[in-house]
Amino acid sequence: MTRLITFFVSLFLVGMAYAVEIHDAPTPEDNYVGIIIFLVLMAGSSVWFFWHIMRKGKQDKQDKHGSIK
């Protein structure tokens, strides 16, 4: 566990050093098309995931009770 923590701390320090290096870099323009595509994909996949879990749960209940003939 200590090796893992040491690895992440050193990775964090390297990231901080890199961030300080590019501190004066200009900020990029907003990409509204990319933002909209990301939001649509994120919301759509979240809705699909919850719908899939709910449907699977209902099917499992139905199969458990309906399999006794």
Side-chain angles (χ1 to χ4, degrees), residues 2-58:
T2 55
R3 289 183 182 182
L4 185 65
I5 292 171
T6 305
F7 172 73
F8 282 124
V9 167
S10 62
L11 193 65
F12 177 70
L13 291 173
V14 169
M16 280 180 45
Y18 180 71
V20 168
E21 241 178 58
I22 59 169
H23 179 68
D24 295 330
T27 57
E29 252 183 63
D30 291 336
N31 183 2
Y32 293 112
V33 174
I35 293 170
I36 291 170
I37 289 173
F38 170 76
L39 290 175
V40 166
L41 288 175
M42 186 70 180
S45 61
S46 298
V47 168
W48 175 83
F49 177 74
F50 287 119
W51 174 76
H52 182 70
I53 295 297
M54 296 298 284
R55 184 178 60 117
K56 185 79 170 163
K58 287 180 184 178

